[in-house]
Amino acid sequence: MIADVETPLPVNGSLAALRYALLPVHGTGIAVATVARMLDGDAKGMRARVLAPGESLPYGAQPVLLAETTVYGAHCVETLLQRWGPLPKPWLVWVADAPVRPVPDARYLVRALEGRLAGVARVPYLPVLRAVKGPDEALEHKDVQAAAEKLRRTMEGS
């Protein structure tokens, strides 16, 4: 992963820089797409987007790792952080994969990694994600909207 200086993309006649560059650590799915929309808001992909495999981190964007609350997910985060290099500390968005707490091994590993992270934001289990066609449909549900608001508050520090 290399940090490159990229020209901001024009939005409505002005320049807008990407704020969040999302990096799924073990694949993409509805949870990754929904978190991207949660952080992007109404910016149409200009505020937050999922980076393609091998894509450079855009200059000025906050890196955000996305992982499920499994031991495998936590291990993938650890593996990525071991080769992270001089890039800015990433946030971890830890998405619940079940309606229970993560297993102790996953919790302990993420706790041990917190010093290498800008922060850890948790997204609760959202059963509606199993029944929607896409993130726009998911965001029509009040529990997803509430989770999105909490996620933005956590990551923006307000």
PDB file of all heavy atoms in Angstrom, residues 9-16:
ATOM      1  N   LEU A   9     -11.432  15.248  -6.724  1.00  0.00           N
ATOM      2  CA  LEU A   9     -12.420  15.224  -7.791  1.00  0.00           C
ATOM      3  C   LEU A   9     -13.362  16.412  -7.677  1.00  0.00           C
ATOM      4  O   LEU A   9     -13.734  16.814  -6.588  1.00  0.00           O
ATOM      5  CB  LEU A   9     -13.208  13.923  -7.721  1.00  0.00           C
ATOM      6  CG  LEU A   9     -12.363  12.659  -7.849  1.00  0.00           C
ATOM      7  CD1 LEU A   9     -13.206  11.437  -7.534  1.00  0.00           C
ATOM      8  CD2 LEU A   9     -11.767  12.547  -9.229  1.00  0.00           C
ATOM      9  N   PRO A  10     -13.766  17.007  -8.817  1.00  0.00           N
ATOM     10  CA  PRO A  10     -14.680  18.145  -8.759  1.00  0.00           C
ATOM     11  C   PRO A  10     -16.080  17.724  -8.337  1.00  0.00           C
ATOM     12  O   PRO A  10     -16.576  16.697  -8.761  1.00  0.00           O
ATOM     13  CB  PRO A  10     -14.681  18.685 -10.185  1.00  0.00           C
ATOM     14  CG  PRO A  10     -14.143  17.602 -11.035  1.00  0.00           C
ATOM     15  CD  PRO A  10     -13.339  16.697 -10.162  1.00  0.00           C
ATOM     16  N   VAL A  11     -16.683  18.500  -7.460  1.00  0.00           N
ATOM     17  CA  VAL A  11     -18.044  18.263  -7.021  1.00  0.00           C
ATOM     18  C   VAL A  11     -18.782  19.595  -7.100  1.00  0.00           C
ATOM     19  O   VAL A  11     -18.434  20.536  -6.398  1.00  0.00           O
ATOM     20  CB  VAL A  11     -18.081  17.760  -5.558  1.00  0.00           C
ATOM     21  CG1 VAL A  11     -19.506  17.580  -5.097  1.00  0.00           C
ATOM     22  CG2 VAL A  11     -17.320  16.470  -5.416  1.00  0.00           C
ATOM     23  N   ASN A  12     -19.794  19.677  -7.969  1.00  0.00           N
ATOM     24  CA  ASN A  12     -20.597  20.893  -8.118  1.00  0.00           C
ATOM     25  C   ASN A  12     -19.730  22.142  -8.289  1.00  0.00           C
ATOM     26  O   ASN A  12     -19.922  23.145  -7.615  1.00  0.00           O
ATOM     27  CB  ASN A  12     -21.531  21.072  -6.916  1.00  0.00           C
ATOM     28  CG  ASN A  12     -22.498  19.922  -6.796  1.00  0.00           C
ATOM     29  OD1 ASN A  12     -22.838  19.282  -7.782  1.00  0.00           O
ATOM     30  ND2 ASN A  12     -22.949  19.652  -5.592  1.00  0.00           N
ATOM     31  N   GLY A  13     -18.714  22.047  -9.134  1.00  0.00           N
ATOM     32  CA  GLY A  13     -17.889  23.213  -9.410  1.00  0.00           C
ATOM     33  C   GLY A  13     -16.794  23.474  -8.396  1.00  0.00           C
ATOM     34  O   GLY A  13     -15.990  24.359  -8.577  1.00  0.00           O
ATOM     35  N   SER A  14     -16.719  22.716  -7.309  1.00  0.00           N
ATOM     36  CA  SER A  14     -15.655  22.917  -6.335  1.00  0.00           C
ATOM     37  C   SER A  14     -14.884  21.609  -6.177  1.00  0.00           C
ATOM     38  O   SER A  14     -15.311  20.563  -6.641  1.00  0.00           O
ATOM     39  CB  SER A  14     -16.235  23.352  -4.988  1.00  0.00           C
ATOM     40  OG  SER A  14     -17.019  22.313  -4.448  1.00  0.00           O
ATOM     41  N   LEU A  15     -13.755  21.693  -5.524  1.00  0.00           N
ATOM     42  CA  LEU A  15     -12.967  20.496  -5.300  1.00  0.00           C
ATOM     43  C   LEU A  15     -13.282  19.920  -3.927  1.00  0.00           C
ATOM     44  O   LEU A  15     -13.337  20.643  -2.939  1.00  0.00           O
ATOM     45  CB  LEU A  15     -11.476  20.810  -5.394  1.00  0.00           C
ATOM     46  CG  LEU A  15     -10.969  21.210  -6.774  1.00  0.00           C
ATOM     47  CD1 LEU A  15      -9.489  21.542  -6.714  1.00  0.00           C
ATOM     48  CD2 LEU A  15     -11.218  20.118  -7.786  1.00  0.00           C
ATOM     49  N   ALA A  16     -13.498  18.621  -3.886  1.00  0.00           N
ATOM     50  CA  ALA A  16     -13.781  17.955  -2.619  1.00  0.00           C
ATOM     51  C   ALA A  16     -12.831  16.784  -2.474  1.00  0.00           C
ATOM     52  O   ALA A  16     -12.664  15.997  -3.396  1.00  0.00           O
ATOM     53  CB  ALA A  16     -15.233  17.461  -2.584  1.00  0.00           C
TER      54      ALA A  16
END
